[in-house]
Structures are given as structure tokens and as C-alpha cells.
Amino acid sequence: MKTIDEFTMPYGVVDKIDAFGYLEELKKNPDAPRKHGKILLVTSDTPLKASRGEGKTTATIALIDALRERGIDAAAVLRQPSMGITAAGSKGGASGGGKSSLEHPELADWGLCGEMAAIENAQNLLASFAEKAVDDGLIDTVLVPRVSEVPSRMLRATVVDRGKANVPERTVLTPASELMQIVVLSRSMEEISERVGNMIAGTKDGKAVLFREFVDLWRITNILTDAVKPVKTQTQQGSPVYLHCGPFGNVSLGIPSLVSVEMACSLHDVVVVEAGYGADAGAQKWLDIACREYGAQWPSFAVIVTRATTWRDDPALQWRYPFHVKHLENLDIPTFPLINLWDGEDGEIPELREEAKELGFRTPIIGNLFRDGGEGIADQLDPLIDAIENHPMPSAVHSHKGMSLVENLRWTAEKAYGVPRERVIFKDGFTDSLLSAARLCKSAGFDITELALLAVKSPATMTDDDTAPADERTVTLKKVEPHTGAGVVQVNLTTSLTTPMPKIV
Amino acid sequence: MKTIDEFTMPYGVVDKIDAFGYLEELKKNPDAPRKHGKILLVTSDTPLKASRGEGKTTATIALIDALRERGIDAAAVLRQPSMGITAAGSKGGASGGGKSSLEHPELADWGLCGEMAAIENAQNLLASFAEKAVDDGLIDTVLVPRVSEVPSRMLRATVVDRGKANVPERTVLTPASELMQIVVLSRSMEEISERVGNMIAGTKDGKAVLFREFVDLWRITNILTDAVKPVKTQTQQGSPVYLHCGPFGNVSLGIPSLVSVEMACSLHDVVVVEAGYGADAGAQKWLDIACREYGAQWPSFAVIVTRATTWRDDPALQWRYPFHVKHLENLDIPTFPLINLWDGEDGEIPELREEAKELGFRTPIIGNLFRDGGEGIADQLDPLIDAIENHPMPSAVHSHKGMSLVENLRWTAEKAYGVPRERVIFKDGFTDSLLSAARLCKSAGFDITELALLAVKSPATMTDDDTAPADERTVTLKKVEPHTGAGVVQVNLTTSLTTPMPKIV
């Protein structure tokens, strides 16, 4: 008979790393030996729909397996998949696939070590304290949303204390919560505590009331003790992978925690950072939020993943993939196309290579990553390895702090979505929403132009209608919501539905 | 400088055990060597208020440390503390104290390995599917509650889809959810799946609709994959401790999972099981629900913990402690009083011993467990060790299935609370609530008399007024709520406030 030991395992079959502690130790020992890894940003084409991935995680895993096969010390930093959306049927997991999978993918897909759940509990505790503040007369309107990892359309608008105070509230997805943004962007527990204190709980007579005014912040940070620690696991081929926070680039940041990337950069020569959904979401946020406003390292190179069908099947959308490649190249980031083949598509390779050449791309990396893993692409990596060895470390980039929000939006629409400033349209009510957000910030002691712009949009579109001719595409600005704790201001864009709380299927 | 390894640890610094797998293995190998441990039930006096513990966890830890010091292979099975209530300020942690503490008590107190959070997500996903069923016209009324580990009074009654369908809902504490009850009582993932399928989602034209009718149950069981595995940790002295599920004996079961106890019994000679709040809550539920209806092992002996002040300071409540001791002794369970001293109370020992003698108690175990740990009581354990060595294994007990609910309630009131049947009072509306619950069960294919009675009451009272003279004490029956999945029927008792969703403080 098997003994109890055979049924016993260290929890999670993964390690947890006190990244805050380690980064503090690095800071205290500036002369200690360490690596200064370069960042390879993996992002993707804009997907045809939210539920259809291009294979960013699969490609990230294949890439580090292949780079390590080529003798390079590469590691990956992934975002934690959202279990709730997977369970509800809105999206698959995000732990790779086939030969390009994580070890124990089911663990990554189904809640990891409770990190997302802890963040959910902490944000919901803040909502509970806001409700108590209503009871106590400290606020008259609750602004902080409750959160849920599992979606339901009916949670978008709710009422609590039914039959008595009837307080209106709303619920957003846990990965899209301000607290998740805070955990992704903060570099110490003290910074988290400071930022949570700066979150707006609600208003009293129209003026913002911050959580620091009435909540003991240790209650929140204690819940987060373990959630702030990145997970370390590995691919099925044994390559090192760090997982931590941050999915959903459409409605939130879509990037892993800054500390997990910084820690990885001190331990490995190349750190592959996954940012999604497409380049217009996750990559835009890594560049313009993480790097410009939060001191993250600018990518030294990028890989943009697409599927042959995503890139080419819809003539009206064929402009998007080359747009993304050129956009990153224009930022002086050597950008490698990666085409993730499905079964039966091997025959298309010559045509894909030809088309890439015509478009002036670097030589694309092409493979069936599910079937062949990193092995299938290892011999195509010479140009990437050349860039790794020879491209200089990037320098720091300019912040947009102080730029007006509308100006920042116009800049982003032009650079990231290819829509010039004159075709950025204000929806009815946008100006009011902007003014009222600016007033709310001011009443809390914040200047809205000091907050980083965070675009909230459909993951599957960059403009109001991506199928329109280039000179007719527009971007409509809809609504503004400041997150003074996280230091971002969310702006809903385009006429497409966003999914802060999708239907379940 | 410290290396990254010094900041890295297996997650949770604890082990997780696949108890389902191990128990299955035991069943397949009936002749393999194993232990057949006896159960020592640790429960307590009825606390003066919910936020004031008598020290059950502290006593449990001290007891196993002391028993092991005396050469006995003892282990403890504890319930997972509710992080949410602790964070909200309604109650302290539950990981022992001082010298009688768990290793890494902060881990136990602040979410353990995400078990509670996973159960919360799974039950909330069920609620989301119930909302979808409203959308789809499958049900017209949602009965399954949402759950939250962090409390807020305002969540007791809510509305979802505000401004559109305006669906009334309610939220209960995660530890009090039907899904938590199912995880505590089930012995395999198949049983969990079967029981989740039998949960009532809501009604359509007054008739119950079960989740099995419209939810793919793998969505729920996948979320629970890790949550069903008990945690193994140890006391600061190195004694083995299993932690799994089940706090809040007042509003739910208040006992750890059955599989964690069964697993421990196959590995150790004495298994100390913690059940709370008081003997009238957790112990009553271990005996009358776990043992009578779910095949758990009847305790071979019991320890009832009290504080000198709880037992003696309020003359009107002094009857409760002796009542509990005699009640368990009457059930043929050798019951040892344990008095958990606070600082400055050592001088009271002679008087406490005298009083115990007068009341006909067994010789009490007395110690300052926080200060002295198991060492302080090890030399007082001769009578307990004598019972461990000589008391025969208990035989199975009778089920109450088929007994009418009211009869069962009268029986419980008499045995567990000392109130005779004629003083069990029906509150206005109770009969209607009972009839409608019975009809609801019947429409779902269940007989309400086949469900185990689960009393829901204040943790701090056994009757409508515990300070009334013995011959005037009453128990009022208020409301009935069947949990057909868990196989229990909850009945709210006494006029005291229950706390399915307390205020935060």
C-alpha cells in the first residue's frame, strides 16, 4: 500500500518568493553579484474575440525552453490566469498548451496559491468598511466597487442593505480591481499600505473620502501577506517561470507585478514578460504605464504572437498585425513576429515567410508550439539571440505626468491604435465625466493629470470599428474613473462593449 | 548578501494531503497496517460573547504537546480560522496562543492555503449560474445565497441587476455556506459533485430547481481541487496538526472535515478534534450530525475548556459549565474539565479544584496554557491517559432520520440545552416556515425528515434567556432552511441574534 507520504506534498507544488524582501536585500547590497537581465516583451496581435487567445503563454513557454536550449539563461514572468472566468466558461486557462505547458498547469489555472482570492477578500473588506462608513455617516455614497472573480452580468449594478438604506453598489472582476492594480505596481508592503489609504471609499456631500481616514490598514495588508509573493514554478521542460497577478489587459493592466519582473531580471539574463491581450492592450500598458510612470525596465526586444488565421483571414483586419510590429519597431524595440501554427497549417509556412518579407518584418519565428514546443523553434532564434547579445540596455523614457488627460488620450490613440488626434471623439457625457472625475480627485488632494492613463476597452478592437478604412477609423472617449490609490485614471474607449463583469456562459 | 534561496519557501510552509486519495487507498487495502486512533473531543463552555474564546485551540495544542511528552502518539485536527472575521475585527485568530501556538500562526489566521477562498468562489459561481438561470427563465427566484468571508451587515439583503430585473438575493458568511458544509461532510470528490448537484438553486413557480439541472459540476469541483486537501502543520513544539475547514459552530457545523479526522485516526493513537464554539454548538454537532448521521467516530473522551471567569463570574450563568460536563458524561463519554488560566489567576487553583470536586467532576486539568504550554499540564494527565488506555472503542450510535423535525428539535433542546420539550416555543411564522421548507424539499425530491438537524443560534446562549431560572428557560423556534445538498436542515433558535453576516467593527 502507498504510504501517507505519497499523498502528501508541499502546498501548491511550487515555491513562493518574498520578492519585497529580496529586492530590499539587493538594494542594501548594491555591489553584490547579480544579473541585469534584459526584457523580452511577449505580446500578441489583437485577438478576433476575447475568448480566443493567440497563444501568448504557449509562445512564452516555448521561447524560454528554446532560448535555454540555445544556452541562454532565460526565464518567464507570467500573469496569474483568472480562474473565475475559466470556471464560468468565458475563457480557457492560461498555462500554455501541449509541449509548451507549465508543470502542473491545473494549479496555475485553478487559483494558484490563493493570491487572487486574497486580493478579492481584501478589496471586499474595503467595501465592507465603506458600508460601515455609510452607517456611521462618514460617507453618503459608496464608490469603491465590490469584486468577484467569477462573473455574472447581474453583479454590474447591485443594491446592499435592501429594504433599509438601499445603498447602490457595483461589482467588478477581481483582476480589474484597484487593489490588484496596487499589488501589480507596488514595490513594498509600505507602498501598498500607502496606496490603499489613498483609495477613494466614496463621497460625503460630493467630496471624496479616502480609506486612510477610517480604516486600520493592517487589516488589508495582513490579508495580502502571502498574495504579494510571486510563485516560482517551471515549464514541463524545466525552465524557470514566475507567476504573479495582473491578467486582463482590456479592463485593467494585463501585466505581471513589477517586482516579479525586477526580481527575475536580477537572476536571469533574459526575462520574457507576457503582456496581453494584444499589443494595443498589455504591451501599451507595460510601455506607457509600467515603464513611463512606474520605473519598470523598457523592453530590449519584443515578440508579437499571432495565428495565421488571425493575421490573414479577415481582409478588413489584416492591417492590425503589421501595425503592431511597426509600432514597436518605431519605438526602437527590435520586434520579432512569431506565428503560432495550428494542426494542418504547416503547409502555409512558405507563404507566411513571403508575406512577412514583403511587409518588411524581421524574419518571423514560425512553429506549431503546442505540438513541437521550444524544440520546434530553437534553430530559428539566431536573429533574436543576436539582438540579445548586441542590443544595448534601453534608457529611461519620459513620463506623461502633467499632460492633460485628453492630450494623453489623443497621443495614445495615435501611437497605439493608429487613429489621429482629430478623430478622437467625445461621446455625450464624456466631458461631464472628465470634469467630475477631476473634481473628485481634487477634493481628495490629487491632480488628475498626475495619474497614469489606463485605457479600458474591448480586447478585440482598437478603434470604434477596426474594419473601417484607415482614414475613417475613430476612437470614442466614454467615461472616466480615477483610481487614486493605484495612481491611474481609467478611461473607457470605443463603442465596443467592455467586460468589467461579463455574462457567464 | 542573502541569496534568493533564503527568500524562497515551499508555499505555505505546510504540506497539503490528498485525504480522499489516501482514504481510498486504505479502503482498498483493509489488511494493511494502520492505526485506529480514538477521538478526544475538545469543546468548551458557552462563551460569554462571540468574540471571547475560552481557548479551545490553545488547549488542543497544549494537550497534544503534553500527551506526546507523556509518550502518546497524539495529533490534533483543527478547523481553519475565518480570516474575514478576524480582519474585520469581529474576532481574534484561532491558532493558539503563547507557548501553545501553531508554527506559523499568521498563516493559519490569514487565509491558510486559500481553501476558504476557493469555497467562496465556488459557491459564488453557483450563485452566478443561478442568476443566469433567471435570465434563461429556468428559475424565477434565487434561493442560493452569495457568500463573503468578510462580513458586512449590509450584505444580509441585497439586490442584483439593479435597475433591470432587480433580483433579491442575500449573502452569508463563507464558513456558513452550504458548500462549506458539503466539503466538511463529504468523503470523495464524487460525493461533493453529487451533493452540489442536489443543492437548491432557486424556485420556478414555487418548485425547487436543483443545480444538477443546469450546471456542469466539473466547474465547481475544479475550483475545489486543492481546497479539499487538509493542511498538515505542527505546533511550535513539533506535534502534528491537521487543519481543514469548518469554523462557526453557531451558524454552521463548527467541526473540521470528516476526512481529516478519519485520516488522522489512521495515523495516530489519539486524535484531538476541536469543535466549537461551546459544547452546545460544536460538540452537539459533532455528536448529533457528524456521528449520528454521517458515520463519524463517536468520541472516546472529551475535554471541556473554560476560563475561571467564564465559569464562575456570573452567578446566573454558573449552571452552564457543569451542565455541559454532565451532559457528555451522561452520553458515556469520560469528560475532563480543563481550566485555562489567565495571568494572575494561579492563586485560584485550590478553590477551582474544590469546586470541581463538589460538583462531582473528574479531577480538572488546570494550567496557564499561554504561559506554560503543554509542559504545564503534562503531569496532570494520568486520569486522561488511563481512559485512553482502557476505555473501549465506542460503538455506533442511532440516527435520527425519519424523526419529525419538531421532535428532533425538542430532543436536542432537552439533551443539549437542558430545556424540556414543553418549553420549546414556536415563534409566529415558524410553522409556516417549516411547512414551506418541507414543501420545497418535497418538490426537489427530498424528505425533510431525512435531513440532519443543524441548529443556528447565538454562540453565547443556549436558550432564550440563559440567566432565567432553570424551570423558566425556553427555546424559541424561528425559521427553517433546508440545505438538500449538504443533507442538513437549518433551524434558527432562541430570540438571540444570530450572526450569518455580522456588522464589522
Side-chain angles (χ1 to χ4, degrees):
Chain A
M1 187 188 127
K2 293 194 221 164
T3 68
I4 187 73
D5 291 342
E6 292 171 78
F7 294 92
T8 304
M9 66 213 84
Y11 177 58
V13 289
V14 294
D15 288 329
K16 292 278 283 184
I17 306 182
D18 174 11
F20 289 162
Y22 175 67
L23 291 172
E24 184 62 29
E25 187 78 4
L26 274 183
K27 210 186 288 175
K28 282 191 288 187
N29 295 275
D31 302 324
R34 55 161 288 177
K35 296 204 169 185
H36 292 276
K38 291 175 174 174
I39 289 178
L40 166 54
L41 191 70
V42 170
T43 187
S44 78
D45 200 355
T46 306
L48 296 180
K49 51 183 180 179
S51 58
R52 174 183 149 131
E54 305 308 298
K56 273 186 302 298
T57 311
T58 303
T60 300
I61 290 169
L63 276 168
I64 58 167
D65 285 345
L67 284 169
R68 292 185 79 85
E69 199 180 315
R70 297 289 304 267
I72 289 174
D73 176 16
V77 185
L78 301 177
R79 304 158 304 155
Q80 176 178 2
S82 172
M83 175 275 294
I85 292 284
T86 303
S90 306
K91 190 173 176 303
S95 52
K99 217 170 165 185
S100 305
S101 289
L102 291 182
E103 205 181 49
H104 305 293
E106 73 293 346
L107 179 76
D109 282 342
W110 292 97
L112 208 59
C113 302
E115 293 83 358
M116 188 86 77
I119 290 170
E120 175 166 322
N121 272 324
Q123 169 113 8
N124 281 335
L125 179 59
L126 289 170
S128 290
F129 277 109
E131 290 161 5
K132 180 171 188 291
V134 172
D135 263 350
D136 294 346
L138 296 175
I139 65 177
D140 52 39
T141 307
V142 173
L143 289 184
V144 66
R146 286 193 166 273
V147 288
S148 172
E149 204 188 341
V150 297
S152 168
R153 181 190 61 74
M154 288 199 185
L155 289 178
R156 287 178 196 165
T158 63
V159 169
V160 300
D161 209 19
R162 160 168 57 87
K164 295 179 184 164
N166 293 313
V167 178
E169 286 194 357
R170 66 205 165 92
T171 304
V172 301
L173 289 171
T174 308
S177 64
E178 184 167 4
L179 198 54
M180 173 60 86
Q181 295 168 348
I182 288 173
V183 175
V184 167
L185 297 170
S186 293
R187 287 181 175 83
S188 68
M189 202 54 115
E190 294 67 40
E191 183 177 349
I192 289 179
S193 181
E194 175 74 17
R195 290 187 176 282
V196 171
N198 285 340
M199 286 173 68
I200 296 173
T203 53
K204 170 79 174 175
D205 302 328
K207 279 192 179 165
V209 177
L210 302 180
F211 277 111
R212 68 165 70 262
E213 298 176 37
F214 62 93
V215 170
D216 296 329
L217 297 171
W218 65 263
R219 299 182 186 282
I220 305 302
T221 51
N222 273 13
I223 300 178
L224 298 176
T225 309
D226 236 83
V228 298
K229 296 179 185 162
V231 161
K232 183 175 178 204
T233 182
Q234 55 183 21
T235 68
Q236 290 190 359
Q237 316 301 318
S239 304
V241 174
Y242 306 88
L243 272 113
H244 201 218
C245 294
F248 296 173
N250 56 326
V251 290
S252 192
L253 289 164
I255 59 175
S257 72
L258 302 191
V259 290
S260 60
V261 176
E262 283 168 16
M263 176 182 70
C265 284
S266 76
L267 299 167
H268 305 278
D269 292 318
V270 175
V271 173
V272 184
V273 175
E274 179 198 38
Y277 286 85
D280 48 295
Q284 187 266 324
K285 283 157 186 180
W286 181 264
L287 299 173
D288 294 337
I289 301 178
C291 297
R292 282 192 201 284
E293 311 302 347
Y294 289 82
Q297 187 179 311
W298 191 257
S300 294
F301 6 79
V303 162
I304 306 187
V305 184
T306 191
R307 289 162 58 171
T309 50
T310 306
W311 174 13
R312 305 192 311 161
D313 277 10
D314 186 341
L317 296 175
Q318 272 175 7
W319 64 274
R320 301 199 298 197
Y321 190 56
F323 175 84
H324 294 316
V325 175
K326 278 173 202 157
H327 171 47
L328 295 190
E329 289 279 2
N330 285 343
L331 291 167
D332 204 24
I333 302 169
T335 299
F336 298 85
L338 187 154
I339 298 145
N340 183 19
L341 297 181
W342 254 238
D343 277 345
E345 293 178 348
D346 295 73
E348 298 184 34
I349 296 177
E351 198 181 308
L352 289 163
R353 290 209 180 280
E354 188 55 37
E355 194 157 340
K357 202 172 169 182
E358 276 168 28
L359 287 162
F361 289 177
R362 288 168 198 261
T363 311
I365 303 161
I366 306 183
N368 183 321
L369 307 176
F370 186 98
R371 185 188 64 202
D372 302 328
E375 268 179 62
I377 56 169
D379 62 358
Q380 302 176 46
L381 298 190
D382 288 348
L384 174 60
I385 290 171
D386 181 63
I388 288 170
E389 284 167 358
N390 298 309
H391 201 73
M393 278 296 267
S395 41
V397 285
H398 291 298
S399 162
H400 282 188
K401 280 189 180 163
M403 191 189 276
S404 87
L405 188 59
V406 168
E407 203 45 39
N408 207 353
L409 283 157
R410 287 180 176 137
W411 184 92
T412 302
E414 180 165 353
K415 304 286 181 187
Y417 318 140
V419 171
R421 49 186 302 124
E422 61 274 16
R423 279 192 263 119
V424 173
I425 298 165
F426 291 12
K427 194 182 169 191
D428 281 353
F430 171 74
T431 305
D432 285 348
S433 174
L434 173 58
L435 289 174
S436 113
R439 268 196 305 269
L440 184 70
C441 286
K442 199 173 171 197
S443 75
F446 294 89
D447 175 349
I448 199 168
T449 71
E450 297 290 312
L451 304 179
L453 165 60
L454 193 161
V456 172
K457 63 181 200 60
S458 156
T461 59
M462 297 159 66
T463 70
D464 294 327
D465 178 6
D466 285 6
T467 64
D471 57 359
E472 291 175 19
R473 282 178 217 136
T474 53
V475 165
T476 300
L477 311 183
K478 295 161 71 181
K479 208 181 70 180
V480 181
E481 178 186 334
H483 284 183
T484 50
V488 302
V489 52
Q490 301 197 164
V491 181
N492 290 49
L493 302 183
T494 82
T495 53
S496 308
L497 259 183
T498 56
T499 53
M501 190 50 78
K503 285 180 72 163
I504 57 173
V505 294
Chain B
M1 186 188 129
K2 292 194 220 166
T3 69
I4 187 74
D5 292 342
E6 292 170 78
F7 295 91
T8 304
M9 66 212 83
Y11 177 57
V13 289
V14 294
D15 289 328
K16 292 278 284 184
I17 306 182
D18 174 12
F20 289 163
Y22 176 66
L23 291 172
E24 185 63 31
E25 186 79 5
L26 274 184
K27 210 187 282 176
K28 282 192 289 189
N29 295 275
D31 301 325
R34 56 161 287 177
K35 295 203 170 186
H36 292 276
K38 292 174 174 173
I39 289 179
L40 166 55
L41 191 70
V42 170
T43 187
S44 79
D45 200 355
T46 307
L48 296 181
K49 52 184 180 180
S51 58
R52 175 183 149 130
E54 305 307 298
K56 275 187 300 298
T57 310
T58 303
T60 299
I61 290 169
L63 276 168
I64 58 168
D65 284 346
L67 284 168
R68 292 184 79 85
E69 199 180 317
R70 297 289 304 267
I72 290 173
D73 176 15
V77 186
L78 302 177
R79 304 158 303 155
Q80 177 178 2
S82 172
M83 174 275 294
I85 292 285
T86 302
S90 307
K91 191 176 175 300
S95 52
K99 218 170 165 186
S100 304
S101 288
L102 292 182
E103 206 180 48
H104 304 293
E106 72 294 345
L107 179 77
D109 282 342
W110 293 98
L112 209 57
C113 302
E115 294 81 359
M116 188 85 76
I119 291 170
E120 176 166 321
N121 273 323
Q123 169 112 8
N124 282 335
L125 179 59
L126 289 170
S128 290
F129 276 110
E131 289 161 6
K132 180 171 187 291
V134 172
D135 263 350
D136 294 347
L138 297 175
I139 65 177
D140 52 38
T141 308
V142 173
L143 289 183
V144 66
R146 286 193 168 272
V147 288
S148 172
E149 204 188 343
V150 297
S152 168
R153 180 191 63 73
M154 287 199 184
L155 289 178
R156 287 179 195 164
T158 63
V159 169
V160 299
D161 209 19
R162 160 168 58 86
K164 295 179 183 165
N166 293 312
V167 178
E169 286 194 357
R170 68 205 163 91
T171 304
V172 301
L173 288 171
T174 308
S177 66
E178 183 166 5
L179 198 55
M180 173 60 87
Q181 294 167 348
I182 287 174
V183 175
V184 167
L185 297 170
S186 294
R187 288 183 174 83
S188 68
M189 202 53 113
E190 294 68 39
E191 183 177 349
I192 289 178
S193 182
E194 174 76 17
R195 290 187 177 281
V196 171
N198 285 340
M199 285 173 69
I200 295 172
T203 53
K204 170 79 175 174
D205 303 328
K207 277 191 180 167
V209 177
L210 302 180
F211 277 110
R212 66 165 71 261
E213 298 175 39
F214 62 92
V215 170
D216 297 329
L217 297 171
W218 65 263
R219 298 183 185 281
I220 305 302
T221 51
N222 272 15
I223 300 178
L224 299 176
T225 308
D226 236 83
V228 298
K229 296 177 185 163
V231 161
K232 184 176 177 202
T233 182
Q234 56 183 19
T235 68
Q236 291 192 357
Q237 316 301 317
S239 305
V241 174
Y242 306 89
L243 271 113
H244 201 219
C245 293
F248 295 173
N250 56 327
V251 289
S252 192
L253 289 163
I255 58 176
S257 72
L258 303 191
V259 291
S260 61
V261 175
E262 283 168 16
M263 176 182 70
C265 285
S266 77
L267 298 167
H268 305 278
D269 293 318
V270 175
V271 173
V272 183
V273 175
E274 179 197 38
Y277 287 85
D280 48 294
Q284 188 267 322
K285 282 156 185 180
W286 181 264
L287 300 173
D288 294 336
I289 300 178
C291 297
R292 282 190 201 285
E293 311 303 347
Y294 289 81
Q297 186 178 311
W298 191 257
S300 294
F301 8 78
V303 162
I304 307 186
V305 183
T306 192
R307 288 163 59 171
T309 50
T310 305
W311 175 14
R312 304 191 312 162
D313 277 9
D314 186 340
L317 296 176
Q318 273 175 8
W319 64 273
R320 301 200 299 197
Y321 190 56
F323 175 85
H324 295 315
V325 175
K326 277 174 202 154
H327 170 49
L328 295 191
E329 288 279 3
N330 285 342
L331 290 167
D332 204 23
I333 302 169
T335 300
F336 298 85
L338 187 154
I339 298 144
N340 183 19
L341 297 181
W342 255 239
D343 277 346
E345 294 178 347
D346 296 73
E348 297 185 34
I349 295 177
E351 199 181 308
L352 288 164
R353 292 208 179 280
E354 186 55 35
E355 194 158 339
K357 201 170 170 185
E358 275 169 27
L359 287 163
F361 290 176
R362 288 169 198 261
T363 310
I365 303 161
I366 307 182
N368 183 323
L369 307 176
F370 186 99
R371 185 188 64 203
D372 303 327
E375 268 178 61
I377 56 168
D379 63 356
Q380 301 176 47
L381 298 190
D382 289 348
L384 173 60
I385 290 171
D386 180 63
I388 288 170
E389 284 167 357
N390 298 308
H391 201 72
M393 276 296 264
S395 40
V397 285
H398 292 298
S399 162
H400 282 188
K401 280 189 180 164
M403 190 189 276
S404 87
L405 188 59
V406 169
E407 203 45 40
N408 206 354
L409 282 158
R410 287 179 175 137
W411 184 92
T412 303
E414 181 165 351
K415 304 286 181 188
Y417 317 140
V419 171
R421 49 185 303 124
E422 62 274 16
R423 279 190 266 120
V424 173
I425 297 165
F426 291 12
K427 194 182 170 194
D428 281 352
F430 171 75
T431 304
D432 286 347
S433 174
L434 173 57
L435 289 174
S436 112
R439 268 196 306 269
L440 184 71
C441 287
K442 201 174 170 196
S443 74
F446 295 89
D447 175 350
I448 200 169
T449 71
E450 297 290 311
L451 304 178
L453 164 61
L454 194 161
V456 172
K457 64 181 198 59
S458 158
T461 60
M462 298 159 65
T463 71
D464 294 327
D465 180 4
D466 286 6
T467 64
D471 56 0
E472 291 175 19
R473 281 179 218 134
T474 53
V475 165
T476 300
L477 311 182
K478 294 162 71 183
K479 208 181 71 178
V480 180
E481 178 186 335
H483 283 183
T484 51
V488 302
V489 51
Q490 300 198 163
V491 182
N492 290 48
L493 304 182
T494 82
T495 52
S496 308
L497 258 184
T498 56
T499 54
M501 191 52 77
K503 284 180 73 163
I504 57 173
V505 292

